[in-house]
Amino acid sequence: MRADAEAESVRRLLRGARLCSVGRAADMGVLALAGAGGEEVALHVQCPFRVVHGDRVMLGSGDLRYVRDGAADDGAAFDAFGTRYDDRAADLNRVLGGAGPVVGNVVLGPGGSLTLEAGRGLRVEIVPDRSGRDECWRAFVRGGPHYGCPPGVV
């Protein structure tokens, strides 16, 4: 029952929120949203995820493993925010900087998967890839309640 209540809280938190930006803190994906009531909502992702527009992957967590296009692989790209992920996030943020798409549907699936379906054909797909009680993702209002996967861990 607790997991069902937590899932509904996640849906309420994210539905109607506007996607403002995507970035990272070390290797953790960070999505910033403006809640339906204007509150700051964040989604921290510590498992594979991607941002998809139509059939095209715009940004994927795997992009962290590759240096930015055309750059030399000197081993410092990750620490210098010089990865393909950083480039793609900057491109995506320029688009989101105007009127970011609003999350219309939130789907919590098997094994903790989470999909945000937003306007203009944009989706955020999160897929936990490990067993155990390690945190895979967390959705929260700054200074407010936190919810995550697996349920009850956060």
Side-chain angles (χ1 to χ4, degrees), residues 81-120:
F81 289 81
T83 68
R84 183 182 300 163
Y85 181 98
D86 300 306
D87 279 356
R88 300 293 192 271
D91 290 343
L92 189 55
N93 288 337
R94 278 190 283 282
V95 173
L96 296 175
V102 173
V103 176
N105 194 25
V106 178
V107 179
L108 287 113
S113 66
L114 173 64
T115 301
L116 308 181
E117 298 172 349
R120 296 190 271 192

Side-chain angles (χ1 to χ4, degrees), residues 37-122:
E39 64 278 10
E40 290 183 39
V41 178
L43 186 56
H44 290 176
V45 186
Q46 301 175 58
C47 64
F49 77 98
R50 64 190 190 166
V51 178
V52 180
H53 182 257
D55 289 335
R56 182 173 173 225
V57 175
M58 304 297 293
L59 170 76
S61 53
D63 290 334
L64 284 167
R65 294 190 298 267
Y66 302 96
V67 297
R68 78 174 17 114
D69 293 339
D73 188 1
D74 62 1
F78 180 84
D79 291 334
F81 289 81
T83 68
R84 183 182 300 163
Y85 181 98
D86 300 306
D87 279 356
R88 300 293 192 271
D91 290 343
L92 189 55
N93 288 337
R94 278 190 283 282
V95 173
L96 296 175
V102 173
V103 176
N105 194 25
V106 178
V107 179
L108 287 113
S113 66
L114 173 64
T115 301
L116 308 181
E117 298 172 349
R120 296 190 271 192
L122 199 70

